[in-house]
Amino acid sequence: MYSNKENVNILTALMVAHSIHHVVVCPGSRNAPLVHNFTVCTDITTYSVTDERSAGFYALGLMQALDTPVAVCVTSGTALLNLFPAVAEAFYQHRPLIILSADRPQAWIGQLDGQTLPQQHVFGRFVSRSVDLPEVPGHNPEGKDDEWLKTQRWYCNRLVNEALCDVSTSRLSTIPVHINIPITEPLATFTVESLPNERVIHYHDTVTSVDESVVSELAEAVRQAHRPMMVIGQYLRFTEDDLPIFRALEAHMPVLYEPLAGPKGGKSFDEVLYHHGDVESYHPDFVLYGGDTIVSKRLRQFLRQGEKEIWEISEDGEIHDAFQGLNRVVHGNLRMILQKLAALLGNIPSDNLSADYMKGWKQSLQRQQALRDTFNPDYSQMAVVRHFEGLLEDFDDYRDGNVAVHYANSISIRLANIYAHHRVYCNRGVNGIEGSVSTAAGFSLGTDRQVFLVTGDLSFFYDSNALWNESLGGNLRILLLNNGGGGIFHQLPIAKNSPEAIPAVAGHHHTTAKGLCESYDIRYLCASYKKQFREALQHFFSVSSDRPVLLEVFTHREEDTQMMKAYYRSTI
């Protein structure tokens, strides 16, 4: 029988899955569930050492002899600190020591309870990763729902996988990791008959060269899938020269990306999912993910549903389980790996590929793009951005490749995803509203290209000090969408459920940029209705200026919200 502590069982199962078969155990009560599991698990050999200072070095010696990762398990409190000399030695020997520490519940840390101290991150830079496992109940506590339990279990599984992947033999860097396991009483209940069947994340390090065997395995996974899909997040290294890679991959699977990744804009997949996200035939059974963040929350929620195999190509080497089902991570150059993958797959789709699946996605994306082009919004932020993007395509500098377009976060980047036919720059690392103006302004100082920024009012006023710079020139043009507050908040449930709070949540205001432009010597244009904004946009593009130009377009929040809803309702 195994412990009834689910985080301990998840840890034990994944240690076996990651081929961690040797554990040095030290005495103690808080770590009793851990020691019990390791002792009764036939795939793990335990070595009992009383003194933690010695136990750490025992584990080091075992690693030297076996040339494999070894774990050392201690109880809570100062027992953990006694491992520090061995951890430091393992760090400088580049040995994959796994430190497993039992801990008291977080609520009791610093409350004068026995054997308690802050155990998270105690080893600092001497470990590559320090994770603190959540306590996962075997059933739903009162007041919790199934989604909460699913998230807790996924989180615990992910943390253990991340830590154990760090000491995998496929990683180039092998230094210690620390896994801290809070355990509540009772400690000595062993009623679980078998370890759980845990999702395992496998790691492949191809950072020094593209490992042909790994790419071949990836190509085979695509061929074996009935409904494969490629998703590309924000990625600035693709150019128009890479479009053949996209076309080659699209012969084998839908390739979904936003203007943050595509050199010629993105795909209208968010609108497709609005109508077909619950249709089983649109769901993939294999997903290949690369790049950074995706703007579309609808896509993230869609890909978290159902059972599927998920691979990630990770340029930074980190594990990003964005869709809560990651199975394999390939550490390497995304562009290079996709180029190799496209060559291996060739032009002939696999016999396993579902024709209905491919036809459904292809036709839906094409129809949506056609409907987007014919949808003519009334005066609103949608109408302004649609007209801006249309004029941009006729702009001489754009056709000559001498334009860079930045969008601020929130509603602005979502409008870009609808209308932009070019690469879009946006601060989607953390997705905050601060710094959008400064980033575009800084970009304009480093290029002779014409730099456009489309921004909402909160993002603009929050970062308006970016214009307090005499070095800025006329190659910076700012299109300011001002509807008196954070428009996207009016599309969220809080707008309906708490109308009293929405003015504060959305940051309602009556501010304009005119005075700021006068103070900072910025050429100021404005518009408040359809005919006026069309004329102002023409002037915005054509006016000659040695200082930045700002066009402020005033719209109404309610109309902006209703127009966005009307657009999605009018889609396929």
Side-chain angles (χ1 to χ4, degrees), residues 252-284:
H252 301 272
M253 54 190 157
V255 180
L256 308 185
Y257 52 90
E258 296 164 330
L260 295 156
K264 297 289 286 183
K267 300 279 188 177
S268 301
F269 60 81
D270 192 76
E271 295 92 322
V272 173
L273 294 177
Y274 177 84
H275 288 276
H276 299 297
D278 294 330
V279 179
E280 178 62 28
S281 61
Y282 280 75
H283 282 253

Side-chain angles (χ1 to χ4, degrees), residues 115-136:
Q115 292 181 291
T116 60
L117 54 83
Q119 294 183 190
Q120 301 174 43
H121 309 293
V122 295
F123 296 111
R125 65 183 296 269
F126 290 98
V127 295
S128 65
R129 191 181 303 270
S130 179
V131 299
D132 196 60
L133 303 187
E135 293 199 75
V136 182

Side-chain angles (χ1 to χ4, degrees), residues 458 484-486 489-490 494-495 498-509 557:
L458 293 189
F489 296 105
H490 292 263
I494 192 171
S498 181
E500 298 83 6
I502 198 65
V505 171
H508 288 180
H509 64 87
R557 288 188 299 270

Side-chain angles (χ1 to χ4, degrees), residues 52-69:
E52 289 88 1
R53 293 169 299 177
S54 180
F57 287 101
Y58 263 80
L60 182 62
L62 279 166
M63 283 189 289
Q64 293 170 347
L66 300 170
D67 195 26
T68 187

Side-chain angles (χ1 to χ4, degrees), residues 318-347:
E318 292 297 317
I319 296 170
H320 311 103
D321 194 13
F323 310 131
Q324 295 185 307
L326 187 63
N327 304 109
R328 291 183 182 268
V329 177
V330 181
H331 181 196
N333 182 277
L334 175 62
R335 181 179 175 275
M336 189 182 301
I337 291 173
L338 292 186
Q339 189 175 41
K340 295 279 187 181
L341 176 63
L344 283 175
L345 289 172
N347 297 319

Side-chain angles (χ1 to χ4, degrees), residues 180-258:
N180 191 55
I181 309 105
I183 303 173
T184 56
E185 296 183 11
L187 304 174
T189 304
F190 310 114
T191 59
V192 176
E193 294 184 0
S194 61
L195 292 174
N197 183 19
E198 288 297 311
R199 180 271 305 251
V200 182
I201 299 176
H202 299 280
Y203 195 95
H204 307 276
D205 207 328
T206 64
V207 70
T208 54
S209 64
V210 177
D211 188 328
E212 299 290 346
S213 65
V214 173
V215 182
S216 296
E217 190 177 351
L218 173 56
E220 185 60 24
V222 174
R223 291 192 191 100
Q224 292 299 319
H226 297 294
R227 301 190 304 274
M229 176 179 286
M230 173 84 199
V231 177
I232 305 175
Q234 184 174 32
Y235 192 76
L236 299 179
R237 294 184 179 90
F238 287 127
T239 68
E240 291 191 27
D241 293 338
D242 297 314
L243 290 174
I245 298 175
F246 285 69
R247 286 193 288 268
L249 292 174
E250 285 172 346
H252 301 272
M253 54 190 157
V255 180
L256 308 185
Y257 52 90
E258 296 164 330

Side-chain angles (χ1 to χ4, degrees), residues 23-40:
V23 183
V24 177
V25 298
C26 299
S29 60
R30 189 61 49 168
N31 65 332
L34 290 160
V35 174
H36 170 85
N37 267 24
F38 300 149
T39 302
V40 301

